[in-house]
Amino acid sequence: MNRFSLAISSGIARITESALGPYQTAVIRIGFTATWLLFLLREFPHRQEMYGPDGTWDFDLAQQLIGTNGAFTALIWSSSQVWFESVYAFAVLTSVLLLLGWRTRTMSVLFMVGVLSLQNRSVFMGDGGDNVLHLMCVYLVFTRCGQVWSLDERRAGRAREARVRGERVAPDRVGPALWGVLGFALVAVTVAGRLDGDLTVPVILWAVWLGQAVWWIVDRRARTAQPRILLDVVGNVVHNGALLVIMAEACLIYATAGWYKIQGSRWQDGTAVYYPLHLDYFSPWPALADLLSSSGTMVMLITYGTVIVQVAFPFTLFNRRVKNVLLTAMITEHAVIAVVLGLPFFSLAMIAADAVFLPTPFLRRLGDWGARARDGLSRRLSRLVRRGDHRTALPGPRTPENPEHAHVGFGA
């Protein structure tokens, strides 16, 4: 009984004392924002046909659909071309800022707004990866995804170093100003009735906005440390719960995909992979597809291997070595799908979801490699700048006081 109680208490302490998986949540943040950003930039020339008011799925059809399912999308608030361009630019901007980790709590909410606004406007756009991104952008709001590899971490680190040196740290003015502007916008759209429909998104928006206010007031006005500790515990519990949901969602995706594949006759006879390789829509590299499908044994191994990996992966989470092997296999499979079948954004979204299971030591080494590469690049750029300044330096005035040019004269 004592061992059981000790295990329970240590588990509770682990959940409440810290936000687990800081590197994993940072990779998820970077992975999904990069996927969405690349998609928006790639489809920028086609944005009108996909999400614009003059697209095939026109504004009237979108209104009818939203009236039926109550989904959130800011693009239904107006059919104006200017409004559409503003929302599209807003989605790009929030993706960049969240990718960099600037004000991650606020940007995660705005990133969710941008994703849902575009995807719910035209629900038939996407290749499967959009469904994953749709779910993960909501879960990401509840995580502390800016603990590492973010501008927020760098700003907090500089503030801590200044306090250690005894310097006075200037109060944050950007956060309250951003909170005020976004609060005014939230109140305006709520009063105008723009948030009618499903309550999920409005509740998230108001909860985060009010939570930020409470956090700021306690951080500035609390006379003891207990209120701050309480808020920190609540934030850790919410973060860890969201991280668990993300992991469960990834397992559910693979488990359902694997078990549905088992029921298909083509997956049972080992020929399922052959057919998408010969569809024009999924053959950006026909020669490569022909090479992979030329061997019946290869097709059979890939078909059965895909099913085995997807079905077995959720059961391997309790064995680190086996889990890492299957995780490597799945990431490799998605990379091959991105190239061979021409589905880069679907593959990037799935790889970003898989990243939640990557081991922390590997992610730390990856971060160290990135930091060394960044430092090496900055040193090279500094040397190039210094060399350029040296080459472009002008000689001094030719006066007797300048010994370097004392020998120069009209007869030189």
Side-chain angles (χ1 to χ4, degrees):
M1 184 64 182
N2 292 333
R3 292 182 178 179
F4 179 75
S5 300
L6 182 61
I8 294 296
S9 61
S10 61
I12 294 175
R14 181 174 174 81
I15 293 173
T16 57
E17 289 179 354
S18 62
L20 303 176
Y23 293 93
Q24 286 78 3
T25 49
V27 170
I28 293 173
R29 183 197 87 230
I30 295 171
F32 281 111
T33 52
T35 301
W36 181 240
L37 177 62
L38 291 174
F39 175 80
L40 293 178
L41 297 179
R42 167 62 179 82
E43 301 300 339
F44 184 81
H46 315 291
R47 66 192 185 283
Q48 296 291 344
E49 293 80 1
M50 297 178 65
Y51 303 112
D54 297 329
T56 304
W57 190 256
D58 60 21
F59 189 78
D60 293 335
L61 290 174
Q63 278 186 319
Q64 295 178 29
L65 179 63
I66 299 303
T68 302
N69 60 19
F72 170 83
T73 172
L75 286 178
I76 208 66
W77 297 350
S78 174
S79 60
S80 167
Q81 178 67 27
V82 175
W83 177 247
F84 164 73
E85 297 291 353
S86 301
V87 173
Y88 201 93
F90 170 84
V92 172
L93 178 61
T94 54
S95 300
V96 172
L97 294 178
L98 185 58
L99 177 65
L100 297 176
W102 186 79
R103 309 286 172 175
T104 50
R105 179 67 69 187
T106 301
M107 287 304 122
S108 63
V109 177
L110 299 181
F111 175 75
M112 178 193 70
V113 170
V115 172
L116 297 183
S117 294
L118 290 174
Q119 289 191 352
N120 290 336
R121 167 63 175 83
S122 301
V123 295
F124 299 106
M125 300 297 172
D127 52 13
D130 58 313
N131 295 326
V132 180
L133 183 61
H134 193 105
L135 294 171
M136 295 300 177
C137 75
V138 178
Y139 302 152
L140 200 61
V141 172
F142 300 97
T143 64
R144 291 182 161 183
C145 55
Q147 298 179 93
V148 297
W149 301 341
S150 67
L151 296 178
D152 287 351
E153 180 205 13
R154 188 174 69 170
R155 184 177 64 253
R158 290 179 175 177
R160 286 193 300 268
E161 293 174 358
R163 292 190 184 97
V164 170
R165 294 192 300 266
E167 300 175 0
R168 181 178 178 275
V169 179
D172 181 23
R173 302 184 184 278
V174 177
L178 190 62
W179 179 87
V181 171
L182 295 177
F184 176 80
L186 182 58
V187 171
V189 297
T190 302
V191 172
R194 301 299 187 179
L195 296 181
D196 295 341
D198 186 78
L199 294 177
T200 303
V201 174
V203 168
I204 292 175
L205 296 177
W206 276 103
V208 173
W209 187 69
L210 294 175
Q212 290 288 83
V214 172
W215 200 287
W216 187 87
I217 293 173
V218 169
D219 189 51
R220 297 296 189 278
R221 304 298 181 185
R223 297 181 179 180
T224 62
Q226 281 75 13
R228 298 188 187 93
I229 295 174
L230 177 61
L231 290 180
D232 202 45
V233 167
V234 172
N236 291 336
V237 171
V238 172
H239 166 91
N240 295 329
L243 186 61
L244 178 62
V245 170
I246 292 174
M247 297 172 68
E249 188 70 43
C251 291
L252 183 63
I253 290 173
Y254 284 116
T256 53
W259 286 107
Y260 271 110
K261 286 181 174 67
I262 291 176
Q263 303 175 38
S265 59
R266 299 304 180 189
W267 290 97
Q268 294 175 7
D269 61 26
T271 62
V273 173
Y274 175 86
Y275 297 99
L277 292 175
H278 291 80
L279 294 175
D280 293 338
Y281 184 77
F282 294 111
S283 298
W285 312 100
L288 184 57
D290 293 338
L291 178 63
L292 289 177
S293 61
S294 60
S295 172
T297 303
M298 179 65 70
V299 171
M300 182 187 66
L301 291 176
I302 295 176
T303 302
Y304 288 152
T306 300
V307 176
I308 292 172
V309 168
Q310 291 183 348
V311 173
F313 179 74
F315 301 100
T316 65
L317 297 181
F318 301 101
N319 189 306
R320 183 177 301 177
R321 294 182 178 179
V322 178
K323 182 262 293 182
N324 291 338
V325 171
L326 292 188
L327 185 61
T328 303
M330 289 192 302
I331 293 176
T332 303
E333 177 187 5
H334 288 305
V336 173
I337 290 174
V339 176
V340 178
L341 297 183
L343 297 173
F345 302 111
F346 165 77
S347 298
L348 286 175
M350 292 308 303
I351 291 174
D354 294 341
V356 72
F357 301 106
L358 289 174
T360 300
F362 169 76
L363 293 176
R364 285 178 176 173
R365 288 196 297 270
L366 189 65
D368 294 338
W369 294 338
R372 285 197 294 268
R374 179 196 61 197
D375 294 339
L377 180 60
S378 63
R379 285 194 297 268
R380 292 190 183 94
L381 291 176
S382 298
R383 286 196 296 267
L384 290 175
V385 170
R386 287 196 298 268
R387 290 175 184 174
D389 292 342
H390 178 72
R391 286 193 298 266
T392 57
L394 297 177
R398 298 180 178 180
T399 62
E401 288 78 9
N402 191 341
E404 182 182 354
H405 303 291
H407 65 280
V408 178
F410 289 104

